[in-house]
Amino acid sequence: MMSVKNVYDGYISSLKAIYSISEAAAITDIVFESIAGMNRSAIVRDSQKELPENILNKLHACLEELLLHKPVQYVLGEAWFLNLKLKVTSAVLIPRPETEELALEVIKYCKDNHVNTVIDIGTGSGCIPIALKKNLPSITVSAIDISGDALKVATENSETHHTEITFTSIDFLEEKTWNELNQFDIIVSNPPYIPIGEKNAMDKNVIAYEPHTALFVANDTALIFYEKIALFGKKHLAGNGKIFLETHKDYTEQVANHFTKNGYHVIVLKDMFGKNRFVTATHSQ
């Protein structure tokens, strides 16, 4: 057996081969908390404690996968979103901090306004609708995705957190499928928005492991999902309803302009890094 300190330091040292020191430390902290049940303070407090062999074996197996650039969330099969632990697989995107901000904007709005129904377009792991339902138990929440595998993960996460959500398999880009859907007070979406031309500039761990259909759009139709959502909102957004969207930082203004041209009142919001990231839209009165 080996001490906590030796294993912890060795983990960071190994991960420094492909990550910065801060990233290596952050990943190591996540792994130790998940597998050994030890947060940073426990690691310091019990630094000379010996780790049992079964824990060492699990840590070693994780390290082998991490060194292949596999994201730690996929290695562990879990990710956190607004204090909710969610299952994640290669069928769904890993939830990002920016998407937490999007969900918080919706939650804040719903608490200040009369909202009954919400739909999440392109739900993936189900992180957005589950967070909304946990924080707003009285609202009726629906979520759609084209991927059956993603919907399986979302449904499992919903059941784990005891949230009643209607999940439906729909190809949202096919307008005829909208007939299956009602009107909603809130439409929220973090759709695919990265032009495929940017693929080679992205991190290896994203390209190799995250689902491309949830990430990329064609270069010549980069706004396709936003264009469809604007059209969808014409009939499916309630009169006093609101649309909340996460966008590519380089295309936020284009998204905003498209909604404005289509008769919406638009507000652009910045993310925690000061970048234009979110668009909200309401019917112009």
Side-chain angles (χ1 to χ4, degrees):
M1 291 193 288
M2 299 176 65
S3 72
V4 168
K5 179 174 173 28
N6 286 342
V7 179
Y8 183 84
D9 290 347
Y11 230 81
I12 294 177
S13 179
S14 296
L15 290 174
K16 281 196 302 183
I18 58 174
Y19 293 105
S20 68
I21 180 65
S22 60
E23 288 176 308
I27 292 169
T28 300
D29 287 346
I30 292 170
V31 171
F32 266 70
E33 183 145 17
S34 177
I35 292 178
M38 302 181 74
N39 58 23
R40 181 71 71 89
S41 61
I43 290 166
V44 172
R45 184 184 66 244
D46 300 324
S47 62
Q48 299 309 310
K49 178 181 175 181
E50 291 188 338
L51 288 167
E53 188 172 354
N54 66 319
I55 297 297
L56 286 172
N57 290 339
K58 289 179 181 178
L59 290 170
H60 179 71
C62 281
L63 183 59
E64 288 186 338
E65 291 190 86
L66 290 168
L67 291 174
L68 296 174
H69 294 272
K70 189 171 184 178
V72 63
Q73 294 88 346
Y74 288 146
V75 172
L76 298 173
E78 63 189 36
W80 289 86
F81 188 84
L82 294 182
N83 299 317
L84 300 169
K85 185 164 76 171
L86 303 174
K87 175 181 178 178
V88 292
T89 72
S90 58
V92 301
L93 289 183
I94 297 165
R96 265 55 173 194
E98 294 89 339
T99 309
E100 288 187 321
E101 290 185 82
L102 176 68
L104 287 171
E105 285 291 336
V106 178
I107 291 167
K108 179 183 176 183
Y109 178 84
C110 290
K111 286 183 175 179
D112 293 337
N113 295 272
H114 183 68
V115 173
N116 290 320
T117 55
V118 177
I119 185 169
D120 177 35
I121 297 171
T123 196
S125 65
C127 58
I128 292 175
I130 292 168
L132 298 185
K133 188 67 176 177
K134 289 295 283 189
N135 284 274
L136 306 159
S138 65
I139 64 172
T140 300
V141 182
S142 301
I144 63 173
D145 204 289
I146 191 174
S147 167
D149 289 335
L151 288 171
K152 288 178 183 176
V153 174
T155 300
E156 186 173 336
N157 282 327
S158 178
E159 291 172 349
T160 297
H161 289 287
H162 308 290
T163 51
E164 186 178 344
I165 297 166
T166 300
F167 292 101
T168 308
S169 177
I170 284 180
D171 180 357
F172 183 73
L173 297 183
E174 289 289 337
E175 295 175 25
K176 62 185 179 183
T177 64
W178 301 351
N179 294 329
E180 301 177 40
L181 303 170
N182 300 315
Q183 275 201 329
F184 300 92
D185 297 319
I186 298 289
I187 297 170
V188 59
S189 184
N190 173 28
Y193 58 63
I194 302 173
I196 194 69
E198 296 184 14
K199 177 180 174 182
N200 292 335
M202 297 177 69
D203 291 341
K204 286 182 182 178
N205 55 355
V206 174
I207 299 304
Y209 295 101
E210 300 210 47
H212 288 197
T213 55
L215 286 169
F216 298 112
V217 286
N219 292 327
D220 57 348
T221 56
L223 302 186
I224 183 65
F225 279 92
Y226 302 103
E227 292 167 358
K228 294 288 186 178
I229 291 170
L231 189 60
F232 177 76
K234 293 284 189 177
K235 291 185 177 180
H236 292 270
L237 182 65
N240 60 343
K242 193 163 187 171
I243 299 173
F244 291 80
L245 303 167
E246 182 175 331
T247 68
H248 189 303
K249 62 181 177 59
D250 295 336
Y251 295 94
T252 307
E253 291 297 336
Q254 290 184 43
V255 172
N257 289 338
H258 180 78
F259 274 83
T260 299
K261 289 175 183 176
N262 279 270
Y264 290 90
H265 175 67
V266 171
I267 298 174
V268 172
L269 302 172
K270 296 183 183 297
D271 64 18
M272 67 184 81
F273 306 109
K275 297 174 181 176
N276 287 343
R277 178 69 64 181
F278 311 108
V279 170
T280 69
T282 55
H283 291 306
S284 292
Q285 301 300 320

